[in-house]
Amino acid sequence: MTWLALRQFRTAAYATTAALAVILALLAATGVGLRDRYSALRPACGSGGPECSVVAQAFFRENRSAWLAAIALVLVVPALVGTFWGAPLVAREVETGTHFVAWNQSTTRRHWLLVKLRVLSLAAMLTAALCTAAVSWWSSPLDEVAIGDFPLMDPLMFAARGVAPVAYALFAFVLGVTVGMLVRRTTAAMAATVALLITAQVLFPVLVRPHLAAPVETTTEISDHRSDGFTVERVGPDSAALLPGSSGAWFLSSTIVDPSGTVVDSIPVSASGPCVSPVNQDRAACFAEMGELGYQFQVRYQPLSHFWPMQARESAVYVGLSLALAGLCLWRVRRNLT
Amino acid sequence: MTAALEADGLGLRYGRSWALADCTLEIPAGRVVGLVGANGAGKTTLLSLASGQLTPSAGSISVLGGRPGSGRVQLAKVGFVAQGTPTYAGLSVRDHLRLGAKLNPAWDDALAQARIRRLGLDPRRRARQLSGGQRAQLALTLGLAKRPELLLLDEPVAALDPVARREFFGSLMEAMAENDLTVMLSSHLVADLERLCDYLVVLAESRVVLAGSVDELLATHHRLTGARREGSRIPRSHKVICASHTERHSTLIVRAREPLLDPTWTVSRLTLEDLVIAYMVAAPPDRTLLGVAQ
């Protein structure tokens, strides 16, 4: 049975291998140069400071499109796997009647499906793992520079790094198979799979991911000098905002509270104080005035230290869902399909 | 000797309609069984139930003493060539044979290779490059080389031209002569089955309306023609299957348990086609009785 599963998968496997080879070669070729540029940039930065930030930002801007494309690749691979390997797996057989060929050899339907699921989910996970590892390696200098705008814990980055993409690929594949079995028309199954995968990728970070680990909840003073990597920005004359900065954290919520703990939109700063000045003047003095009035930031966030525990739990959730769907498929295949 | 197929009150329902209802059959082993009926009469359903592709929603079915599709052993005993003789378009003839060899413990590779050679099929050709007739032959080869005890063929020649049809039946007959197996094949053309079958099952409107060995069926069914008479008495030993009347004549097709002695009827033999059509037209059975009473 493994022979048949591999034989049917051969064309797709060749095509995928070719595409992967091109992508990996491209990343390897450009990745080395990127690293050289980054290490040359470091001593110029020296002890940090504004000049360093300018150089780093320029370096990031130059490579920004390629960096975003690499993220897109990692996010798209599971969807491709689900759509082109998963959805047609059973649907195409039923559509062309070839399931009758397979099901009338001396092999049970359940075994037939089990072997197919096993062979192709391994291939799906391997593909995703290769892609993610290569892209992560290639991107690592840029990730460091980009951390202010794209924290690693942010939904976009979180889904494109670590081990989660491998679990997505498994889930996408099994979801595709399940949809294909229920819909039994290849094109419709492919479309439905894409729609469901997008829905899952949108809903999961909103509904599930924040709860994978208990978020840190804290209040912190409105001040320019921070040890947690967060940055504070002025938002108009009478308000400020706390941003993840170089901490890599994912902010679930960030508000200003008055001394009694009530959430407020603006702070009643004095009309003649430092906050009246244009936004980038007297920042420190303005924040100091806000702090003295007893106002604080109240913030709920997932810190960078939660990255691996949350990756592990998210992957476990997706693997669990995949196993449940696979179980459903194996149960369904024994029942009347038509 | 165990029956090749035994069905008792067998039925399959899709939603509220029955694709096959109340089917009770006993088909002896070693026969070549023709399954006839109009499109949608339940032929495919019966074959799918026998091969285990479908599970019944009512009654029971036993094939070669086992429940269809119940495991590897049962699957190995039954070959099934589905409607349209499907094959994997992207796989070559050789790949199909390898598939058969890998998936069937009793695979007869010598038989498969010999058939492919005799048919002149190029082993490197992909199934999509074959003609419809060649694909049907490839599907039949897969079914035969598996060495089943019962081979089920669902409208195997429906899409074939007359030459390919003849070749297909020719090679099927050859295979039946060489191997000891029961064959059940469906068609809506009686002519296809006439040369091949020695047992007949007629389905109409999801029900079995007739089943029996061809010789016996032909010996017990007669056409009676005579002067027009409606509602005339026919002996109880004769069951009227269908009746048609013109202005002057009445024609009855009857099933007789003993010779008819009434000299006012002219008795003639039926062809298999006449017989099948009589039952197909007369279905369902309860309506036949009504027709007689009128």
Side-chain angles (χ1 to χ4, degrees):
Chain A
M1 191 49 233
T2 312
W3 176 82
L4 178 61
L6 286 172
R7 179 62 191 81
Q8 287 187 274
F9 180 53
R10 197 169 76 182
T11 315
Y14 288 165
T16 308
T17 310
L20 267 181
V22 170
I23 289 167
L24 295 187
L26 217 60
L27 289 175
T30 54
V32 177
L34 207 62
R35 256 138 228 279
D36 290 347
R37 296 264 324 279
Y38 185 60
S39 48
L41 185 131
R42 260 191 177 147
C45 256
S47 56
E51 320 83 57
C52 168
S53 160
V54 169
V55 176
Q57 284 306 314
F59 171 64
F60 178 63
R61 258 200 312 281
E62 265 171 49
N63 298 292
R64 191 189 157 100
S65 321
W67 180 78
L68 284 172
I71 289 181
L73 174 73
V74 174
L75 293 178
V76 154
V77 162
L80 290 177
V81 161
T83 313
F84 290 96
W85 296 359
L89 190 78
V90 175
R92 180 157 296 150
E93 298 245 4
V94 173
E95 219 169 43
T96 55
T98 48
H99 64 304
F100 285 126
V101 179
W103 295 358
N104 282 288
Q105 309 306 317
S106 313
T107 297
T108 60
R109 291 184 217 179
R110 183 177 279 198
H111 181 68
W112 170 79
L113 186 61
L114 188 65
V115 172
K116 285 193 152 213
L117 285 175
R118 221 158 42 195
V119 169
L120 272 94
S121 43
L122 272 179
M125 291 196 291
L126 188 67
T127 307
L130 271 175
C131 266
T132 314
V135 166
S136 300
W137 171 79
W138 184 88
S139 304
S140 57
L142 291 163
D143 285 359
E144 280 175 43
V145 179
I147 199 156
D149 292 326
F150 299 92
L152 190 57
M153 291 299 287
D154 189 77
L156 177 76
M157 294 295 289
F158 187 86
R161 299 286 184 265
V163 292
V166 179
Y168 300 153
L170 174 68
F171 172 73
F173 169 69
V174 182
L175 179 73
V177 176
T178 313
V179 171
M181 276 191 80
L182 299 178
V183 176
R184 294 195 298 272
R185 291 207 322 280
T186 310
T187 324
M190 289 166 84
T193 304
V194 172
L196 285 172
L197 285 174
I198 292 174
T199 313
Q201 282 291 32
V202 170
L203 289 185
F204 199 92
V206 177
L207 299 177
V208 185
R209 195 179 297 152
H211 311 292
L212 286 177
V216 177
E217 285 188 56
T218 182
T219 51
T220 175
E221 56 176 347
I222 304 178
S223 136
D224 221 0
H225 307 287
R226 314 198 60 93
S227 58
D228 48 17
F230 298 163
T231 53
V232 182
E233 269 183 25
R234 275 191 67 186
V235 186
D238 57 358
S239 191
L242 187 70
L243 297 173
S246 63
S247 71
W250 177 28
F251 277 19
L252 303 174
S253 70
S254 160
T255 50
I256 298 174
V257 289
D258 68 10
S260 67
T262 314
V263 175
V264 294
D265 285 334
S266 59
I267 301 166
V269 288
S270 76
S272 55
C275 291
V276 189
S277 63
V279 167
N280 276 327
Q281 232 175 306
D282 286 334
R283 269 163 59 105
C286 175
F287 292 154
E289 187 195 342
M290 291 173 169
E292 272 158 31
L293 287 168
Y295 287 81
Q296 283 183 307
F297 287 118
Q298 188 172 57
V299 58
R300 264 178 81 237
Y301 67 99
Q302 293 288 3
L304 190 59
S305 62
H306 285 180
F307 181 77
W308 286 109
M310 282 175 69
Q311 281 270 328
R313 282 174 209 170
E314 179 149 343
S315 303
V317 170
Y318 273 104
V319 169
L321 286 172
S322 309
L323 290 176
L325 286 176
L328 176 70
C329 288
L330 290 170
W331 169 79
R332 186 71 185 81
V333 76
R334 292 188 64 179
R335 314 202 31 103
N336 294 348
L337 267 191
T338 38
Chain B
M1 197 169 189
T2 55
L5 185 149
E6 269 177 290
D8 187 16
L10 181 68
L12 183 85
R13 191 178 50 203
Y14 292 119
R16 291 176 65 190
S17 66
W18 290 85
L20 186 72
D22 199 23
C23 166
T24 301
L25 264 182
E26 185 172 339
I27 291 171
R31 297 300 192 114
V32 183
V33 184
L35 201 56
V36 224
N39 294 324
K43 303 188 295 288
T44 299
T45 306
L46 179 55
L47 290 173
S48 301
L49 286 165
S51 65
Q53 300 309 303
L54 296 175
T55 41
S57 25
S60 66
I61 178 166
S62 145
V63 170
L64 302 163
R67 192 167 58 82
S70 55
R72 282 162 202 256
V73 178
Q74 181 70 22
L75 282 164
K77 285 198 276 188
V78 181
F80 180 50
V81 176
Q83 197 160 21
T85 58
T87 47
Y88 285 105
L91 298 199
S92 66
V93 171
R94 184 186 286 134
D95 285 334
H96 277 88
L97 298 194
R98 202 170 294 162
L99 174 165
K102 300 257 182 201
L103 297 183
N104 297 290
W107 181 258
D108 188 340
D109 203 48
L111 181 148
Q113 301 292 351
R115 265 187 64 83
I116 294 303
R117 258 199 311 280
R118 203 163 54 230
L119 292 164
L121 290 182
D122 180 351
R124 286 162 305 178
R125 282 214 146 180
R126 286 166 191 264
R128 77 161 67 85
Q129 300 168 304
L130 301 176
S131 70
Q134 289 173 322
R135 266 201 296 274
Q137 291 283 17
L138 178 59
L140 177 63
T141 305
L142 271 181
L144 285 171
K146 181 186 175 185
R147 286 277 184 199
E149 291 172 42
L150 171 67
L151 181 61
L152 307 167
L153 305 155
D154 190 4
E155 304 254 8
V157 295
L160 304 189
D161 61 58
V163 176
R165 199 173 273 237
R166 180 170 290 248
E167 280 174 1
F168 183 89
F169 281 134
S171 64
L172 178 61
M173 272 200 257
E174 232 169 75
M176 287 183 318
E178 289 164 14
N179 306 283
D180 180 26
L181 81 167
T182 309
V183 176
M184 224 175 139
L185 77 158
S186 71
S187 177
H188 53 267
L189 294 177
V190 185
D192 281 348
L193 305 174
E194 206 154 16
R195 297 185 302 154
L196 224 60
C197 300
D198 55 15
Y199 199 95
L200 192 72
V201 175
V202 182
L203 285 163
E205 311 210 359
S206 312
R207 283 163 196 279
V208 174
V209 289
L210 180 69
S213 96
V214 172
D215 291 343
E216 191 220 316
L217 292 177
L218 288 177
T220 54
H221 285 82
H222 309 286
R223 178 189 284 115
L224 308 182
T225 39
R228 182 183 171 107
R229 52 193 118 170
E230 271 172 90
S232 71
R233 295 182 71 90
I234 296 282
R236 284 187 153 272
S237 58
H238 287 63
K239 189 183 164 205
V240 177
I241 307 306
C242 74
S244 60
H245 305 282
T246 61
E247 216 166 293
R248 293 173 150 209
H249 294 282
S250 288
T251 307
L252 306 181
I253 289 179
V254 296
R255 180 170 200 166
R257 268 178 279 150
E258 51 198 57
L260 182 75
L261 299 170
D262 185 345
T264 57
W265 287 111
T266 311
V267 181
S268 55
R269 272 183 68 90
L270 291 172
T271 65
L272 197 60
E273 179 139 20
D274 295 335
L275 177 66
V276 167
I277 287 171
Y279 275 92
M280 281 167 60
V281 170
D286 356 86
R287 227 190 283 156
T288 325
L289 296 173
L290 256 152
V292 174
Q294 279 164 1

